[in-house]
Amino acid sequence: MRATRNDDVDWDRWPVADYLAENYRTLHPADAAVIAHHSAYYRRLPPHGLASSVELGAGPNLYPLILASAVSRRIDAVEAGAGNVAYLRHQILDHPDTSWLPFHALCRRLNPAVPATLAAALAPVEVVHADVRALPPGTYELASMHFVAEGATEDPAEFAEFCRVFARCVVPGGHLVAAFMENMPTYRIGPESCWPGCPVDTELVREVFEPLTDHLEVTRIDTDPTLPDYGDTGMVLLTARSTTAGQG
């Protein structure tokens, strides 16, 4: 059977409400671990010292944007799905859900450069309704990506291409921060919808990124029993500096 690829999927149908209910209405230990890992990296950088950063495939997840607010004066949240775009715009322009307050509190506790209020942390965010593959190379000083490349396709070659897009969208030496679901199969959200998954692990992530980066650090955390059982075995976490801007 042919693997499902990104362009086979109608991302406008992404079940935003079900996804948030299953994953982000409370702060789960796995996300707290991701926040702690990323905060340690962001603390190495000058507070608000980067002119621009980008979140690739932002989805409705606000905590990567909160984390980046410690170091970035502008954050582009690039997202292809119409429902996710609408949710992000509502959160930023109107009033963020109170369920994000514990995420903001943890981000700020671990890195005091995060702005003091959730609204202030989201103020630098610009929501960009676009395919991440259309991003010009060498545009940003930092890029982050969370649960995107391995959740957009079943094709390992396309997973690797999404990772290359991620690595080359920053300037040479630009910062990369990412999290991947480990060994994620095709999975369900809510009672009906089914979405592609490409199983990856620390070895595959390292293999893909070693030619694209230096200062590469890859680690993992175990699966979180408080989260839905999507079939994954944990999360793979990455930080690096890109060496590939402008290359195809």
Side-chain angles (χ1 to χ4, degrees), residues 37-125:
H37 173 270
H38 291 0
S39 294
Y41 188 82
Y42 285 124
R43 286 196 304 268
R44 303 181 206 169
L45 308 181
H48 315 293
L50 304 180
S52 63
S53 68
V54 62
E55 179 70 20
L56 270 76
N61 182 3
L62 298 191
Y63 80 70
L65 306 174
I66 299 168
L67 286 165
S69 72
V71 297
S72 304
R73 299 191 296 275
R74 170 178 169 153
I75 306 162
D76 284 353
V78 180
E79 169 59 39
N84 286 328
V85 167
Y87 178 81
L88 288 170
R89 287 177 174 161
H90 173 69
Q91 296 298 294
I92 294 159
L93 297 176
D94 297 325
H95 189 73
D97 295 341
T98 57
S99 55
W100 293 109
L101 290 171
F103 292 83
H104 171 262
L106 178 59
C107 292
R108 182 164 167 78
R109 185 161 69 249
L110 293 172
N111 188 352
V114 170
T117 67
L118 177 55
L122 296 176
V125 178

Side-chain angles (χ1 to χ4, degrees), residues 88-174:
L88 288 170
R89 287 177 174 161
H90 173 69
Q91 296 298 294
I92 294 159
L93 297 176
D94 297 325
H95 189 73
D97 295 341
T98 57
S99 55
W100 293 109
L101 290 171
F103 292 83
H104 171 262
L106 178 59
C107 292
R108 182 164 167 78
R109 185 161 69 249
L110 293 172
N111 188 352
V114 170
T117 67
L118 177 55
L122 296 176
V125 178
E126 297 286 341
V127 181
V128 180
H129 191 182
D131 188 321
V132 299
R133 295 169 295 184
L135 287 173
T139 301
Y140 300 96
E141 294 171 89
L142 179 146
S144 60
M145 180 173 68
H146 293 78
F147 321 121
V148 172
E150 79 286 12
T153 182
E154 295 175 355
D155 181 357
E158 191 172 36
F159 164 79
E161 178 55 30
F162 273 110
C163 293
R164 286 190 288 271
V165 168
F166 171 58
R168 68 177 178 243
C169 76
V170 297
V171 297

